[in-house]
Amino acid sequence: MGRGKISIERIDNLTSRQVTFTKRRKGLFKKAKELSILCDADVGVIILSSTGKVYEFASNCMQSLLERYYKANEDNQVLNPTSEAQLWKVEAESLRQQLEDLRINSRRLLGEDLSELSIEHLETLEAQLEMGAKAIRTRKEDILKAKIHDLNKTEILVHQENMELHKTISLMRQEMAELHKKVSGGTGKDDQEGGAGGGASSSTSAYDNYDPIELNLSLLKKSD
């Protein structure tokens, strides 16, 4: 005579429930081991009893099995076209919302669409504008200071070139004077000396009228 069919429902008697749990747990672990051996499969079983105690069986290292399981689960989610499409849809919606928020904020910074803002929002917006204006003024001052610095360097370079030109012209004056003396001594004629002297004098006088160029770019500092 065979066994009667056991009804699958919660066992109310605590002792009977504990005995059944022990028997069924051992049987499950035995079947898992057989499955692993017969089919050359990695099998892992974890059981949590009603009292919170943990029982586990693994044909291999349980940690290794769990890592492989999580990795395979992640790969399946990535390769799932439906899940990937849903992810991109959510991302696109988020980007659209961010773009709309930026447009609204931009209009409000220009003084538009302010009717629906509370006093707190208006004060926040005012503070943002003040911070932006301060940053703009600071950047503008930095640029002007850099330009003034460059102009001062240019002024120094131009002044140095001016002095070099003045020295060169002074040397040319000396050379012209020496040339004039040689020409005057070689002719021995008063008229020719006078003519040559007059030409040299006019040439020399033209150089004598030269004055060094003086720049005053430093006035830019005052104007700043």
Side-chain angles (χ1 to χ4, degrees):
M1 184 175 181
R3 287 187 185 180
K5 187 175 180 180
I6 301 175
S7 176
I8 304 300
E9 60 182 14
R10 183 178 183 276
I11 300 174
D12 294 329
N13 184 276
L14 179 60
T15 302
S16 298
R17 186 166 67 243
Q18 186 63 37
V19 171
T20 303
F21 173 78
T22 302
K23 289 181 179 180
R24 295 278 180 142
R25 172 173 55 81
K26 291 180 179 180
L28 179 60
F29 285 171
K30 182 180 179 181
K31 293 295 183 182
K33 184 177 180 180
E34 291 175 354
L35 176 63
S36 173
I37 295 172
L38 292 173
C39 300
D40 192 23
D42 290 330
V43 180
V45 179
I46 299 176
I47 300 175
L48 299 176
S49 69
S50 59
T51 59
K53 192 172 181 179
V54 179
Y55 301 88
E56 65 179 43
F57 165 81
S59 60
N60 204 337
C61 175
M62 178 61 76
Q63 183 64 32
S64 176
L65 287 175
L66 290 174
E67 290 175 357
R68 289 174 58 189
Y69 168 77
Y70 292 136
K71 186 177 185 305
N73 193 36
E74 291 176 358
D75 293 341
N76 289 334
Q77 289 181 354
V78 171
L79 295 176
N80 188 339
T82 304
S83 299
E84 187 174 2
Q86 186 67 22
L87 179 63
W88 283 112
K89 183 178 179 181
V90 173
E91 182 69 16
E93 183 63 29
S94 176
L95 291 175
R96 278 195 294 267
Q97 186 60 45
Q98 292 180 24
L99 180 59
E100 182 62 24
D101 293 341
L102 288 174
R103 287 176 177 172
I104 294 174
N105 190 53
S106 178
R107 289 197 297 268
R108 288 173 177 174
L109 288 174
L110 294 175
E112 302 174 0
D113 298 339
L114 302 178
S115 58
E116 297 180 358
L117 295 182
S118 63
I119 186 65
E120 291 81 6
H121 288 160
L122 290 173
E123 289 176 349
T124 302
L125 185 61
E126 184 180 13
Q128 291 177 351
L129 290 171
E130 290 177 354
M131 290 177 61
K134 183 178 179 181
I136 292 172
R137 286 194 296 269
T138 301
R139 179 56 183 161
K140 181 181 176 181
E141 291 175 0
D142 293 340
I143 293 175
L144 290 175
K145 288 178 181 178
K147 287 185 176 180
I148 291 172
H149 179 70
D150 292 340
L151 288 173
N152 288 335
K153 290 173 63 177
T154 303
E155 179 185 7
I156 294 173
L157 293 175
V158 170
H159 179 70
Q160 291 176 351
E161 292 178 359
N162 184 22
M163 296 304 297
E164 292 295 329
L165 288 172
H166 180 62
K167 291 179 181 179
T168 302
I169 293 174
S170 297
L171 291 174
M172 292 177 65
R173 286 179 184 173
Q174 295 177 2
E175 292 176 357
M176 291 296 294
E178 292 176 357
L179 180 60
H180 172 64
K181 289 180 181 180
K182 290 180 181 180
V183 172
S184 299
T187 58
K189 294 182 181 181
D190 294 337
D191 294 338
Q192 292 178 353
E193 290 176 359
S201 299
S202 61
S203 299
T204 306
S205 62
Y207 289 109
D208 289 337
N209 292 331
Y210 171 78
D211 291 325
I213 300 172
E214 294 293 339
L215 299 178
N216 195 12
L217 297 179
S218 59
L219 292 175
L220 292 172
K221 298 179 181 179
K222 296 182 180 179
S223 63
D224 182 54

